[in-house]
Amino acid sequence: MSRVEVRTITMIPISVCIIGKNEEQHMENCLAPLASLPFEVVYVDTGSTDRTKETAAKYGAKIYDFKWIDDFSAARNFALEKAAHEYVLFIDCDEYLTELDTAPLFTALEAHPQDVGLLLRNNYYEANGTQTNYPDRVERLFSKKHFHYKGIIHEQVVRQGSESPFYERYEIPLIVDHAGYSGGMDAMRQKAERNNALLFREIKRTPNDPYLYFQVGQSYNGIRDYENAYTYYKKAFSLPIIFREPWVQIMATAYINAMNHTGRSAEAQAFFEPIYEHFSGDANFYCSMGNIYLNLDPPQPLRAMAEYVKALHCPDAREKGANSFIPYYNIGLVNEMLGSQDSALTFYQKAADLGFAPALERLSDWNGV
């Protein structure tokens, strides 16, 4: 008779840590999904004047005040000190928990006690008249005995006693929706100005850190100042970087986008084709490469088509995300350029079925002819 091995799942104590200031509009959505979970919630407030702390108290969070000193890592590390448990999970106020399977979470944590867990974050934003999202994995679950934060803004997890970015990462079964990019352009500009003031101060102290230039580029990219975004991404790529770092993967796509928007598609082709293999397997990168080929003079539609098809077959392509409807739409565009009307309509329809406004408009224009 065969023996069945039964394994008991151990519940590992976890402290959820949140820092914020004047986040009244987000706190309810942030804390409500956490209320039924077996986690301690630590909220560190950096000077709210609204009802943020009231909402935190309503949901049983342990509330601590921290005098703001223009240093996000200092605030996060203060939260680490206040956490009762060794293992901490950081959530931002504008991130709302949508999916969590606690048993696999504890299993994963038990298997990776000295590694860093990556949650899945859906970043919502508006593009081309469509409310969409792009997913990314962010480092949020770890042991405070082994890790802490560094960097005054866009802080990074580092191992205790080391500034090295090299440590093992693993995915955890936790998904959040990120509403931080869904505000109006005025709010985005204010955020960019605040962030860049801190980043430029840090650049004076460490002028050869490519991550800082990347984040300045991100600030400009968020307010569609593509000329400045291009300048700072280019500076970041001119410095020694590690291609496999997640932020470098993000920067590649953003840099291509900035170059396409500023008439530098030929420059983008010359720069990225020799290092293409470092970014292969990423749907966003494939879409960006396809956009390069469509923006060349003359365009290279067949090469663009090949990139969009690769994007559709990537593991990270999401059913209702930009990774799916953008390649569908652009495959339709390429087919239209090549005179294949039936195929173009098929792919425009696929993009339209996912709510992509330009595809809906294109079909409407076509039907009106």
Side-chain angles (χ1 to χ4, degrees):
M1 181 182 295
S2 62
R3 298 178 62 185
V4 177
E5 182 180 350
V6 178
R7 187 182 179 199
T8 302
I9 301 298
T10 303
M11 189 180 79
I12 302 173
I14 294 174
S15 295
V16 175
C17 294
I18 304 168
I19 66 169
K21 176 183 177 181
N22 291 336
E23 295 285 357
E24 179 181 354
Q25 74 274 30
H26 293 302
M27 289 301 283
E28 189 89 23
N29 289 330
C30 176
L31 293 176
L34 298 171
S36 62
L37 297 172
F39 302 148
E40 174 192 49
V41 177
V42 172
Y43 173 64
V44 171
D45 191 88
T46 61
S48 292
T49 56
D50 62 5
R51 295 170 60 87
T52 298
K53 291 201 288 185
E54 257 185 69
T55 305
K58 170 184 172 182
Y59 286 97
K62 296 179 179 178
I63 302 170
Y64 299 93
D65 291 306
F66 179 79
K67 185 177 180 180
W68 181 240
I69 56 172
D70 288 341
D71 189 327
F72 283 90
S73 283
R76 287 192 187 267
N77 290 331
F78 178 79
L80 288 178
E81 293 174 10
K82 297 302 180 182
H85 305 306
E86 174 184 351
Y87 290 98
V88 295
L89 170 68
F90 271 90
I91 300 287
D92 288 343
C93 295
D94 56 5
E95 294 172 346
Y96 314 147
L97 179 67
T98 59
E99 291 184 36
L100 171 61
D101 196 336
T102 53
L105 175 68
F106 295 137
T107 299
L109 185 52
E110 191 175 32
H112 300 273
Q114 296 186 32
D115 302 328
V116 177
L118 305 170
L119 62 76
L120 177 62
R121 179 175 63 181
N122 289 318
N123 302 280
Y124 285 89
Y125 65 102
E126 184 175 314
N128 298 307
T130 302
Q131 183 68 22
T132 185
N133 76 80
Y134 75 86
D136 61 358
R137 289 273 179 184
V138 288
E139 303 167 340
R140 295 296 181 76
L141 178 64
F142 53 85
S143 164
K144 68 177 186 178
K145 290 183 179 179
H146 299 289
F147 296 94
H148 68 288
Y149 281 94
K150 76 160 189 174
I152 63 173
I153 187 170
H154 299 301
E155 53 281 10
Q156 296 174 286
V157 177
V158 295
R159 192 176 292 279
Q160 297 283 11
S162 172
E163 297 297 293
S164 171
F166 296 108
Y167 46 78
E168 293 298 319
R169 301 170 174 89
Y170 65 100
E171 296 181 2
I172 60 175
L174 192 157
I175 302 175
V176 297
D177 283 349
H178 181 211
Y181 299 137
S182 58
M185 188 55 67
D186 286 343
M188 292 294 289
R189 286 195 184 95
Q190 290 177 7
K191 189 174 182 179
E193 289 173 3
R194 179 205 69 184
N195 290 353
N196 280 353
L198 294 175
L199 286 164
F200 288 137
R201 193 177 80 191
E202 192 73 353
I203 284 171
K204 287 183 179 179
R205 191 177 69 85
T206 55
N208 294 317
D209 185 346
Y211 180 76
L212 298 175
Y213 295 100
F214 156 66
Q215 289 294 358
V216 174
Q218 290 290 86
S219 293
Y220 284 122
N221 188 58
I223 59 173
R224 300 171 190 170
D225 183 348
Y226 298 115
E227 189 65 40
N228 273 316
Y230 161 80
T231 298
Y232 286 95
Y233 292 143
K234 184 175 183 177
K235 176 62 177 178
F237 267 110
S238 74
L239 296 167
I241 57 174
I242 301 167
F243 286 114
R244 68 176 179 272
E245 282 292 294
W247 67 266
V248 177
Q249 300 282 317
I250 294 169
M251 181 168 64
T253 298
Y255 190 27
I256 292 171
N257 181 59
M259 285 193 278
N260 279 333
H261 274 286
T262 56
R264 296 180 171 97
S265 297
E267 180 182 341
Q269 179 189 18
F271 183 83
F272 279 99
E273 283 187 344
I275 58 174
Y276 181 96
E277 63 181 29
H278 293 292
F279 307 101
S280 61
D282 180 85
N284 285 317
F285 179 73
Y286 288 141
C287 286
S288 297
M289 288 298 298
N291 293 344
I292 288 175
Y293 296 128
L294 281 190
N295 279 280
L296 292 175
D297 185 16
Q300 299 180 16
L302 293 179
R303 295 191 71 182
M305 173 88 79
E307 299 299 320
Y308 299 135
V309 171
K310 288 178 186 177
L312 285 176
H313 290 89
C314 279
D316 63 335
R318 295 177 60 79
E319 182 182 352
K320 292 187 178 181
N323 293 350
S324 57
F325 60 68
I326 287 180
Y328 279 142
Y329 176 81
N330 284 340
I331 290 172
L333 180 63
V334 172
N335 275 296
E336 185 176 355
M337 292 172 65
L338 298 174
S340 301
Q341 179 173 332
D342 290 344
S343 294
L345 288 171
T346 297
F347 283 96
Y348 284 144
Q349 188 62 58
K350 287 178 180 289
D353 289 343
L354 294 172
F356 191 46
L360 292 166
E361 293 171 6
R362 192 71 195 94
L363 290 171
S364 177
D365 292 342
W366 211 315
N367 291 334
V369 174

